[in-house]
Amino acid sequence: MIVAAVLFGYTALLSTLMPRLLRGARWAEQAPRLGIAVWQALGVSALAGAVMAGLALTVPTVRVSADLASMLQACVMALTAQYASPGGAAAGAAGAVLALAVLGRTAWCAGAAMLRIRRERRDHREVLDMVGRRDAARGVVVLEHAEAAAYCLPGRHRRTVITTGALQALDDEQLAAVLAHEDAHQAERHDAVLAWAQTLARAFPRVPLFHTAENEIARLVEMRADDVAAARSGRLTTAAALLAVAGGHTPAAGLAAGGSTAAQRVRRLIEPHRPLNRARIAAGSLTAAAALALPLLVLGGPAAAAMQLNYCPDGTPPSQVTTMR
């Protein structure tokens, strides 16, 4: 029971406190890829903490010997001891329901998101094949439209789309920056990163961590693509390119260089670039690693320590088996 309580408390604090501490963090804007990794790790950690808390209630941790027969005997006796009492049975049932509900809800929303995204991409790709014009030299699909817009359609049959209005508004360096931005989205699979964040936010809409993570990751993937483009064409050129395509329309299935965060990102590119120092990068990396490892350590630590001891020799009556829930 102690392990389950610790995991419940950890998950609750992580889900409510961390969004307040990390929302809009300046260091994440300085190192967007690290920021994305930290938000992803926190989301996975909260999900794992809830599932493992349910498992800790369902299956007791038993001190056993390294002998397989004794281990099986101890497990059977511990389960029997737990579920023989009404309180133990209720706690075990509640834990099983929690773990299965969290896993089932996540799997259902992930499957629905994958089907929806696949359908939207397929439908939009068919439209592009009908009305678009392939530009083999640039590796893009050109749409006849006066509005300056550029976006990519990720996936196995990826496309980078640009309008004639954008081709007229951008010079060669700015166009190269826009294309580098879209290439970064596709090369680093930002579509998959966003899809996972959206899945958690839709599966558990009342959890502040998942809602905040969705918004922050959507902002940070654009900043990461901006940085790739800036390394290719320069920060001021990239900022000018973003301004040119900021008002362009983007389909739901695509990722665009413009969008609602364009103004904030332009200001970021114009300001002097201050990369994150090594100490803070190391701290962020350790935070992500600790978030991923902590639920496993909380649940697995007592079990791993117990495996080194022999508390259930042959012939031990069930009443003497020590359980730790």
Side-chain angles (χ1 to χ4, degrees):
M1 193 67 73
I2 294 176
V3 172
V6 170
L7 286 169
F8 275 127
Y10 167 76
T11 303
L13 286 176
L14 188 66
S15 299
T16 56
L17 183 61
M18 293 308 290
R20 299 179 184 179
L21 295 177
L22 294 181
R23 183 188 293 114
R26 183 68 177 176
W27 65 265
E29 296 182 5
Q30 294 175 272
R33 185 157 55 175
L34 177 60
I36 293 167
V38 169
W39 280 109
Q40 285 184 303
L42 293 176
V44 171
S45 184
L47 193 68
V51 172
M52 291 181 181
L55 293 177
L57 284 174
T58 305
V59 181
T61 302
V62 186
R63 294 182 176 182
V64 299
S65 70
D67 178 71
L68 179 60
S70 296
M71 181 178 70
L72 294 176
Q73 179 188 18
C75 288
V76 170
M77 289 188 295
L79 288 171
T80 301
Q82 172 168 328
Y83 289 101
S85 64
V97 169
L98 172 65
L100 290 175
V102 172
L103 289 175
R105 177 68 176 168
T106 303
W108 175 267
C109 290
M114 289 177 63
L115 291 175
R116 174 181 54 81
I117 291 170
R118 186 175 181 180
R119 182 177 63 253
E120 289 176 350
R121 289 177 183 171
R122 183 195 62 224
D123 293 345
H124 193 71
R125 188 170 61 248
E126 290 174 354
V127 172
L128 291 176
D129 290 342
M130 287 189 294
V131 303
R133 170 173 55 86
R134 287 189 175 273
D135 185 335
R138 296 188 178 100
V140 300
V141 175
V142 179
L143 290 180
E144 293 288 340
H145 201 287
E147 183 181 72
Y151 62 90
C152 66
L153 189 67
R156 187 170 55 181
H157 305 287
R158 60 183 58 177
R159 306 278 195 280
T160 298
V161 183
I162 192 163
T163 64
T164 52
L167 291 176
Q168 294 171 0
L170 301 170
D171 62 27
D172 290 342
E173 280 299 312
Q174 291 169 351
L175 178 59
V178 168
L179 296 182
H181 179 105
E182 303 303 337
D183 288 344
H185 279 320
Q186 305 207 57
E188 299 186 8
R189 293 306 311 272
H190 289 163
D191 59 307
V193 172
L194 288 170
W196 175 245
Q198 291 164 2
T199 293
L200 292 181
R202 282 154 181 73
F204 310 101
R206 296 185 180 276
V207 178
L209 174 64
F210 297 145
H211 175 71
T212 303
E214 179 188 16
N215 294 332
E216 289 294 299
I217 289 175
R219 184 174 66 97
L220 292 173
V221 295
E222 294 299 336
M223 291 184 178
R224 169 59 187 164
D226 290 343
D227 288 347
V228 173
R232 160 65 176 80
S233 303
R235 297 179 70 82
L236 294 181
T237 299
T238 303
L242 291 180
L243 282 174
V245 300
H249 174 72
T250 306
L255 295 172
S260 59
T261 62
Q264 178 190 15
R265 289 156 44 213
V266 167
R267 287 196 299 270
R268 172 178 175 269
L269 290 169
I270 293 175
E271 293 173 355
H273 181 47
R274 297 185 179 89
L276 207 62
N277 59 49
R278 292 183 178 179
R280 301 190 72 180
I281 290 175
S285 301
L286 287 174
T287 298
L292 291 173
L294 191 56
L296 291 173
L297 292 176
V298 171
L299 183 62
M307 290 296 292
Q308 306 303 318
L309 302 173
N310 183 2
Y311 283 89
C312 189
D314 292 339
T316 300
S319 60
Q320 296 181 13
V321 177
T322 302
T323 63
M324 298 184 298
R325 295 188 294 275

